[in-house]
Amino acid sequence: MLRVKMLFWLGVWWGATASVFAQLQEAPIKAFGYFQNSFQQWTQSSDQPQFNTFALQQLNMFLQKDLLKDWTAFVNFEVLNNFSSSKRWGSFNIEEAWVRYRSSRQFNLKVGLQIPIFNHLNEIKNRTPLLPYIVRPLVYETSFNEFIAIEEYLPTRAFVQAYGFIPSAKAKFDYAVYIGNSPNINSQFDNQSSSNERPTGLDTTTAFLFGGRIGVRYGELKAGISATHEKVNYFKGLAERLNEPPSKFEGLPRIRLGADLLYRLGDFSFEGEYISVFYDEGADVVEVDKRFLYGTLGWNTTERLYVYASYWFTREHQVEIVDEQFVKYVGDAGVVTGGVSYNFSDRIALKGQVARVDVDTTLPPEIFSGEAFEVYALAISVFF
Amino acid sequence: MRPECSMKLLLFTFLICLSLGDMAAAQVVVIAHPLVKQENISQAELLDFYSREIRLWDNGEPVVVFDLKPKSEVKETFYKYLGKSISRMKSIWMKKMLSGEGDPPEALETEEAVVKKVAATPGSVGFVSQSKVTEKVKVLIVIEPETEKDE
């Protein structure tokens, strides 16, 4: 009898726990990613002799999990330029770690570290399987972030973003608004830091980055305008050298304006963007406004082969200290490039690209007389 | 009947059979789970479902879409109707996936598998040849060759 009772209660327990576990059955975690290996040859320039190099240009690993019906978590790890901590090469970043609540097509809310929606390419700049380029349009080339101040042109991080689209007849109207840190991040690692200094990676001010994009999609046309506003403390250190009060350079409003256009007509496509970065009052003394534009004409010659020609241009107002004097100048960089991308399969793409880079400034020729060089590149992009 | 007349008749019959055969081969139907409330579907709505822009039916039920793995006339006809090439659809799905915005549709090996899967999955949609349809699924739209949209 005791044995029957035990078996009965065992059955009840088994049934109850099985039901609980069935209810707790979770969606599996998805792991996927991609990498791009390249071979590049750079011809001689005034700064460096000719060189060629193989490189693991980029590797991204994603983890994604549906937490609840409307909630999804997403993490993106990014490794650049042959990353090796022991050799101090390249970099390793956590690019994204967010959770999204999808209420409807009109309203999604993403909370956590994320790439904000700015111009078209900003969303996909580090998704190499989606891009035909090996060397991406200047300000989007994350492996150049040691040479080009990408973060000045683009909002690279946000922490809360609402976005969605509103359909109307055959058109869809997109919107996105977001908030993030100001660019005044403490990046000084100092063991001797006093107690009122903040740890590295944290905003040192009470300012925020605010931004957004509105756009329209109609058939194969996609267009939009973007803007961000933030307050910058970069130039506070210049105050003394310029005999100006530090307050004049504190919290300088920096505004980015962007516009993007994509159009596909049959096998042909055009995409172009414009970005203007300017500082509001106060920065006229140092004047460091920037502009960037690019345009790409593409042709899907077959289902697998894509050929393109592209032009990129940046104009940067800069200051240089020459003989203890601040000299204002303008630096231009123009790139004419073309290439092919061949989808060997759905997961493997082979790419080739040639680019000619011309750099010039308004500085006197004895300081900088301009330079030009070419880049030849081959790459394999693998999605796994 | 004169021999040239009978030849013309034969040729005419052959051409008619040929065109009927072509029509039958290209006739694709969009099927749904029988409990899906909608009785029909527009091209724009179907494109939104397959490009993962819209994930819910009007009643809030999740939309599940199925694709065909092998490249076939049925698959090409369907995506041509949506106004997209197969490679363009793949690129749309890849972008969604790499942005964490959604997975590509599950691709099944055969049309029979699509019918079976749609019949068993609430809120699901798929496409097959008209000849493969069974009473276990609901037909939302018949894609006639003349209704195909050029990209």
Tab-separated table of all heavy atoms in Angstrom, chain A residues 16 117 149 221 249 347:
chain	number	residue	atom	x	y	z
A	16	ALA	N	3.527	17.398	-12.268
A	16	ALA	CA	3.584	18.834	-11.954
A	16	ALA	C	4.879	19.452	-12.475
A	16	ALA	O	4.874	20.499	-13.122
A	16	ALA	CB	3.485	19.040	-10.446
A	117	ILE	N	20.198	54.588	-35.388
A	117	ILE	CA	19.808	54.765	-36.790
A	117	ILE	C	20.154	56.188	-37.198
A	117	ILE	O	19.635	57.148	-36.634
A	117	ILE	CB	18.302	54.470	-36.970
A	117	ILE	CG1	18.024	52.994	-36.647
A	117	ILE	CG2	17.853	54.814	-38.383
A	117	ILE	CD1	16.563	52.616	-36.620
A	149	ALA	N	38.559	60.212	-37.472
A	149	ALA	CA	37.727	60.352	-36.270
A	149	ALA	C	36.275	60.020	-36.627
A	149	ALA	O	35.425	60.903	-36.765
A	149	ALA	CB	37.847	61.762	-35.737
A	221	LEU	N	12.670	52.774	-53.640
A	221	LEU	CA	13.264	54.055	-53.242
A	221	LEU	C	13.293	54.145	-51.721
A	221	LEU	O	12.299	53.832	-51.062
A	221	LEU	CB	12.439	55.222	-53.807
A	221	LEU	CG	12.836	56.609	-53.306
A	221	LEU	CD1	14.113	57.085	-53.991
A	221	LEU	CD2	11.723	57.619	-53.554
A	249	PHE	N	34.687	77.174	-24.210
A	249	PHE	CA	34.843	75.917	-24.947
A	249	PHE	C	34.187	74.739	-24.225
A	249	PHE	O	34.435	73.596	-24.537
A	249	PHE	CB	36.328	75.637	-25.174
A	249	PHE	CG	36.978	76.660	-26.045
A	249	PHE	CD1	37.712	77.695	-25.494
A	249	PHE	CD2	36.820	76.606	-27.421
A	249	PHE	CE1	38.292	78.640	-26.301
A	249	PHE	CE2	37.406	77.560	-28.228
A	249	PHE	CZ	38.145	78.591	-27.670
A	347	ARG	N	26.669	32.124	-48.504
A	347	ARG	CA	27.451	32.418	-47.305
A	347	ARG	C	28.874	32.897	-47.585
A	347	ARG	O	29.570	33.319	-46.675
A	347	ARG	CB	27.505	31.164	-46.413
A	347	ARG	CG	26.164	30.873	-45.811
A	347	ARG	CD	26.161	29.628	-44.983
A	347	ARG	NE	24.839	29.441	-44.406
A	347	ARG	CZ	24.481	29.887	-43.223
A	347	ARG	NH1	25.321	30.558	-42.488
A	347	ARG	NH2	23.264	29.664	-42.763
